[in-house]
Amino acid sequence: MPQAEYREYLYPSDSPRLSAIRGMDPYDYREAAKADPFTGGLIRGWKPLQLAEFRGVTEDGILRPEVHVREPARPGEEAPVAAMVAAARGLTAALDEDGRTKLSHPVDAIEWQTWSNPEFLQFDTGIRLEFQSPEVREKALALVEASLSPDGFRLVHDMMLINGLLGEVVGLETILNEFSYNFALYGSPDLVAPWGWQLFGHHCAVNCLVVEGRMVLSPVFLGAEPNEIDAGPRTGTVAFTDRIRLATDLMAALPPELRATATVYRRMVDPEMPPGRVHPGDERHLAGAFQDNRVIPFEGLRATDMPERARRILLELAESFVSLLPDGPRAARMREIDDHLDATWFSWIGGHEVGDVFYYRIQSPVLIAELDHHCGVFLDYDTPKPFHIHTVVRTPHGNDYGRAYVRAWRERRSAQRWSVSRPVQVRRSR
């Protein structure tokens, strides 16, 4: 089998990039990251955004709550809530009292917003899986599996396994391993009332909420460096090939003038970009960690201006990003995306031929989906490579973390209680 491309970019094992942090545990490394000029700069830059009052991502700063209609799940679109509740109870039963306390937060807790995707800890929310027993790890993954589609769970777990492979390859197993992730519960597992869970760590962050059978799965960050496993029992595993293929197919389906309209910058680092367009950590991503309230204007090409074949591919591409959802919620999500297709935009940065590196974004009032090729972090290259990929999914206008649905649920419950408790006014006849 030919050598995987990423292995051409390995640092020497005694490189200061690796040796300076080798052997640190996550908490030692957290302090080292704060002191490092690069990672410390990232942390300081994100700090003003951390724990800000949640509003939601918008395209113009104006919230449109009407795009998130509060209703129970329609028949055939229900989330697998019973299986999720059983799995969540199995997890809490496997923990001691201290573990259950660390694990659990109120359903609308600000801790939802503490997820991040770098390898260094910024918030130690919930329980850290690498320091838990095999049973607890298994139960946490069982809840993830009970919530997602089979392909979705496989992709999430592959991100964790690839992280472990990277740690082995570069000799940083105490910082990068299969269980270098935090896990938290929000609310009390229930068949109807809102609750959810959160998994986050290097290259993998998933936020899941259910209420009345409906599921919201966002923000989601999935990434990989490299995007394949080329050693061990999972050899041959690859990630994001569908999101790459469909994207280049979409660009190929556009006539040249529309392709030019979709392409907002021709180079990954383009002299025409405004200052700050390429972030030192996020690179071209706009909707990553700590960007819960960001204003991201529409740009590129409207879906309504695409030829029919390109619009079909656009919907296939959108579905690849929401494929983590099980069948019922995925059908509901695609109906929502399709209903807003006339207000959907597609933008592109970089080359568009097979093998090129690029960034793209699908954006509508109900979806942001991004993919970006990145520079090296634990491998030695300073321009984006095809095997280092980051992806982001958001639900704009206030429904990340299911917040819009939780708010509507509480308002309705409050109105029902007020209606029941209100004294009946009896009109007396004279």
Side-chain angles (χ1 to χ4, degrees):
M1 181 177 178
Q3 176 176 277
E5 182 185 358
Y6 79 90
R7 290 187 181 269
E8 299 174 20
Y9 301 95
L10 296 177
Y11 284 99
S13 62
D14 59 352
S15 166
R17 173 72 183 96
L18 305 178
S19 62
I21 58 176
R22 187 167 285 132
M24 290 185 180
D25 70 21
Y27 302 104
D28 293 334
Y29 183 55
R30 175 172 60 180
E31 299 310 308
K34 292 177 184 176
D36 180 85
F38 179 72
T39 52
L42 296 180
I43 294 167
R44 288 188 294 274
W46 283 322
K47 191 173 182 61
L49 306 174
Q50 296 171 359
L51 308 183
E53 181 180 358
F54 178 83
R55 294 183 73 250
V57 175
T58 64
E59 64 274 8
D60 57 9
I62 301 171
L63 284 170
R64 295 176 53 190
E66 73 277 4
V67 304
H68 301 297
V69 178
R70 194 222 66 78
E71 62 178 8
R74 299 182 184 183
E77 295 182 353
E78 300 92 342
V81 182
M84 293 172 63
V85 169
R89 290 173 178 168
L91 171 59
T92 57
L95 289 163
D96 59 20
E97 184 175 352
D98 181 59
R100 285 191 290 271
T101 299
K102 290 179 179 177
L103 176 74
S104 299
H105 303 275
V107 72
D108 59 352
I110 201 167
E111 281 81 3
W112 273 115
Q113 298 169 220
T114 62
W115 70 272
S116 62
N117 55 278
E119 78 287 350
F120 51 85
L121 272 172
Q122 289 179 256
F123 293 95
D124 193 22
T125 304
I127 58 173
R128 185 75 173 177
L129 293 182
E130 64 188 303
F131 299 128
Q132 301 300 316
S133 68
E135 180 188 12
V136 170
R137 296 174 185 174
E138 178 184 326
K139 298 293 186 183
L141 287 179
L143 174 51
V144 177
E145 186 172 17
S147 307
L148 305 182
S149 68
D151 286 345
F153 175 71
R154 188 178 305 112
L155 179 58
V156 168
H157 193 212
D158 283 348
M159 299 303 93
M160 300 170 70
L161 293 171
I162 289 173
N163 192 56
L165 169 72
L166 178 61
E168 292 172 8
V169 167
V170 301
L172 295 176
E173 294 92 333
T174 60
I175 295 172
L176 303 163
N177 63 73
E178 180 184 350
F179 295 105
S180 299
Y181 298 90
N182 285 52
F183 196 87
L185 278 184
Y186 294 88
S188 179
D190 189 273
L191 294 176
V192 179
W195 69 280
W197 55 263
Q198 176 183 66
L199 169 74
F200 72 89
H202 187 226
H203 278 163
C204 183
V206 184
N207 295 277
C208 177
L209 180 126
V210 287
V211 54
E212 293 187 293
R214 301 196 73 176
M215 176 180 284
V216 176
L217 205 61
S218 73
V220 172
F221 181 106
L222 298 176
E225 181 194 23
N227 71 318
E228 64 176 308
I229 296 177
D230 64 339
R234 296 293 295 273
T235 295
T237 296
V238 293
F240 308 123
T241 53
D242 56 339
R243 301 181 189 185
I244 299 296
R245 175 184 54 79
L246 286 167
T248 53
D249 285 353
L250 173 53
M251 289 293 276
L254 296 173
E257 66 276 11
L258 294 183
R259 195 181 307 132
T261 301
T263 304
V264 292
Y265 300 105
R266 291 183 297 171
R267 303 177 189 174
M268 293 293 269
V269 179
D270 197 297
E272 295 185 9
M273 288 176 170
R277 180 60 187 87
V278 178
H279 183 273
D282 291 324
E283 298 198 21
R284 283 145 295 274
H285 274 304
L286 299 176
F290 309 120
Q291 304 298 326
D292 290 325
N293 300 325
R294 188 163 189 168
V295 175
I296 303 175
F298 292 138
E299 59 182 350
L301 177 67
R302 283 179 179 269
T304 51
D305 295 329
M306 294 179 178
E308 177 60 28
R309 180 170 180 271
R311 281 199 300 273
R312 289 198 304 269
I313 297 173
L314 179 69
L315 284 171
E316 285 185 67
L317 184 57
E319 186 163 17
S320 75
F321 277 87
V322 302
S323 63
L324 274 66
L325 289 162
D327 289 346
R330 184 164 68 250
R333 188 74 164 118
M334 288 307 299
R335 175 169 47 78
E336 178 182 55
I337 290 168
D338 192 53
D339 286 347
H340 292 85
L341 190 60
D342 288 351
T344 299
W345 292 70
F346 178 71
S347 57
W348 189 275
I349 296 173
H352 54 80
E353 301 294 338
V354 174
D356 283 346
V357 291
F358 47 77
Y359 161 91
Y360 64 81
R361 181 171 78 255
I362 303 171
Q363 184 175 356
S364 80
V366 295
L367 175 71
I368 290 178
E370 297 181 288
L371 181 145
D372 192 22
H373 287 111
H374 272 229
C375 298
V377 176
F378 289 104
L379 301 175
D380 188 13
Y381 51 93
D382 57 9
T383 58
K385 297 295 181 185
F387 54 77
H388 188 179
I389 301 169
H390 287 192
T391 70
V392 173
V393 176
R394 288 273 187 175
T395 308
H397 292 285
N399 210 21
D400 278 331
Y401 317 104
R403 287 283 179 83
Y405 288 168
V406 172
R407 186 180 304 112
W409 161 268
R410 287 184 162 172
E411 289 172 354
R412 191 187 70 162
R413 297 278 288 182
S414 178
Q416 287 175 338
R417 286 194 295 269
W418 184 84
S419 177
V420 168
S421 63
R422 183 183 181 190
V424 176
Q425 299 295 320
V426 179
R427 183 184 295 270
R428 297 180 181 275
S429 58
R430 295 187 178 182

